[in-house]
Amino acid sequence: THPQYRLEVEELVTLDGLFHRLADGTVDFAMIHGPENWDSGIGHLTLFDDELVAALPPGHPLANLERIRLSALRNENFITPPRTSAVYERFAAACREQQFVPKISYSGHREDVLLSLVRNGFGVGILTRRTAEYTGEEGVHLMELSPGLPLPVSVAYADRPRLSAGKTLFLECCRDMAGGI
């Protein structure tokens, strides 16, 4: 729609240093999960709501429930995104609230590997609903967690008094997209 502008996309696995890169201008925008607390000077626009879900292997005794209490999984081995990710941080905080420390048997950034490990019985996966549904894995049961663990997806940017015309246009496109999701 706007050929006069160029968009360069880079995939980052963790939030490490991201807010600094936004503040110093080496990154203009970031599409991220969360976080719970935003750094000062960082603006954000929520694109859509997401939530954490548990992925259970075929035949798991709790797989027939509609939703599952996180505390009911306290003795499970977990398969999670990297420990420096917003998904993991949200999960770990919820475990602390439920007064247990999760046993992590695998942590990695490839959702297809995570779900394959779940399908093969290596543990219970924790990931976002949209990622789990998009990636998919035959036989894996996605379970809503109780209490719910929301984790919105947002566009983050350095909150400056004036953005360039191209950056302002990009945020307008994001606002339009957020309204249509």
Side-chain angles (χ1 to χ4, degrees), residues 1 6 8 27 36 100 110 119 126-127 137 145 170 179:
T1 307
R6 187 173 78 80
E8 182 179 325
V27 171
E36 299 258 331
F100 74 95
R110 293 210 23 219
R119 182 176 49 82
I126 299 294
L127 61 168
E137 182 73 29
L145 292 166
F170 180 79

Side-chain angles (χ1 to χ4, degrees), residues 1 5 8 16 20 24-25 43-44 55 58 63 76 80 84 88 98 103 105-106 131 160 166 173 180:
T1 307
Y5 296 107
E8 182 179 325
D16 290 345
H20 177 73
D24 73 13
H44 69 281
E76 299 285 345
T80 68
T84 53
Y88 181 86
Q98 297 292 314
K103 295 179 286 188
S105 60
Y106 174 85
T131 298
R160 295 191 171 84
C173 290

